[in-house]
Amino acid sequence: MLLFLLLLFPVSLVLYFTFTKEKKFLLVVYMGFITAVIVCAVAFITSYPHRIIPDSFFKNYLYYFIKITFLPMLLLPAAFCVFSKNSPDFKAKSIFPLMASFYVVFLPYHIMSLTDSRYSLYDISLRPIIYLAMIIQIAYAAKRLIHSIEESNQAQKTKNIIAIVIYLLYPAFADTCFISLKFIYIACVLSAGYIAYSALCLYKEYKLIKNQ
C-alpha cells in the first residue's frame, strides 16, 4: 500500500543518475537525505504530529505551504548555496538531487506520522507525484534563471522567478483541496496539468543532455 510513496523518490534519483551520469552530485544526495533524517528525528522528539484539520481553507493552506513546501524548499537550497563553494550553475543543477533526496524521507514521514488509520489514495499516490513534479519544475526553472542572469536577460529572469513562485504555491493548494475535501475537481484538473508540465520539463532536459 505504501510502496509507491516510499519508492517514487528513490527511483527518480536512480533514473536521474542513470541519464545524467553525474556522480559528482552523490554528495549532494547524501546531504539532502541526512538533513531530512535529522529534521524528522527532531520533529518526532519535540512535537506531536497529529492535528485537527480546521474548517478554514486558508489556515490549512498556510499549514501545508509553510511546513511541507516553503521552509524545506527555501532553507535547504539557501543553506547549500551559502556554504557551497561551487559555481552558480552547479548549485542550480544540485536542486533536484538535493531536494529529491530530502523528500525521500521527509514526505513519507509527514504522511505516515499524521495518519491514524487508513491512508488516503491521494496521500500514497497523487501527492508524492505532485511534490516530485514541483522539484522537477523548480530545478528546471532554477537552471534557466542562472542562464538568464549570466546573459543579463531581465525578461527571462523575471519569467523564471515568477514560474518558481507558482511551482511552489501549487502543492499546498492540492493538499488543502484533497485533505479538506474542497474544490477536488478543480484540483484534479490542475494537478493533471501540473504533472504534465513537469513531464515536458523532463523531456526538454533529456533532449539537452542527449545533445551535449
Side-chain angles (χ1 to χ4, degrees):
M1 187 175 180
L2 292 172
L3 200 59
F4 184 79
L5 170 65
L6 296 174
L7 290 181
L8 179 64
F9 282 93
V11 169
S12 70
L13 284 168
V14 170
L15 292 175
Y16 169 81
F17 283 105
T18 299
F19 285 107
T20 62
K21 297 180 173 60
E22 294 279 11
K23 293 184 178 180
K24 60 185 178 181
F25 292 110
L26 282 172
L27 180 59
V28 177
V29 170
Y30 298 145
M31 291 172 59
F33 182 83
I34 293 171
T35 302
V37 170
I38 294 172
V39 168
C40 293
V42 171
F44 178 79
I45 295 170
T46 61
S47 64
Y48 182 70
H50 299 291
R51 66 186 287 264
I52 298 173
I53 300 175
D55 192 45
S56 169
F57 188 92
F58 181 69
K59 287 181 180 178
N60 280 310
Y61 180 86
L62 277 182
Y63 173 82
Y64 294 116
F65 175 68
I66 293 173
K67 185 172 183 178
I68 315 301
T69 304
F70 181 72
L71 289 179
M73 293 299 299
L74 172 70
L75 296 181
L76 186 52
F80 178 77
C81 289
V82 169
F83 292 107
S84 173
K85 303 300 182 181
N86 294 290
S87 67
D89 185 63
F90 180 90
K91 293 175 182 177
K93 289 180 178 179
S94 298
I95 289 178
F96 179 80
L98 179 69
M99 297 314 301
S101 59
F102 180 84
Y103 278 93
V104 162
V105 177
F106 183 72
L107 188 61
Y109 170 79
H110 172 76
I111 292 172
M112 295 167 71
S113 64
L114 287 180
T115 305
D116 287 320
S117 54
R118 288 186 174 183
Y119 298 101
S120 70
L121 184 62
Y122 170 72
D123 278 336
I124 62 175
S125 58
L126 184 56
R127 194 176 188 185
I129 297 175
I130 289 174
Y131 278 87
L132 179 61
M134 174 191 69
I135 297 170
I136 291 170
Q137 292 168 168
I138 290 177
Y140 180 74
K143 285 185 280 188
R144 293 171 65 87
L145 175 61
I146 294 300
H147 293 156
S148 65
I149 292 173
E150 291 174 346
E151 296 171 359
S152 300
N153 189 330
Q154 188 61 39
Q156 285 297 320
K157 177 183 174 181
T158 303
K159 177 182 175 182
N160 285 303
I161 291 174
I162 293 172
I164 289 172
V165 172
I166 293 172
Y167 302 153
L168 275 173
L169 290 173
Y170 181 72
F173 174 78
D175 286 352
T176 306
C177 289
F178 283 100
I179 292 169
S180 63
L181 302 179
K182 296 178 180 179
F183 311 115
I184 290 180
Y185 294 112
I186 295 174
C188 284
V189 173
L190 292 177
S191 296
Y194 190 80
I195 294 167
Y197 184 72
S198 71
L200 178 61
C201 293
L202 279 178
Y203 176 71
K204 290 180 178 179
E205 190 68 17
Y206 174 75
K207 286 182 64 178
L208 183 64
I209 292 172
K210 293 294 286 185
N211 291 332
Q212 288 178 347

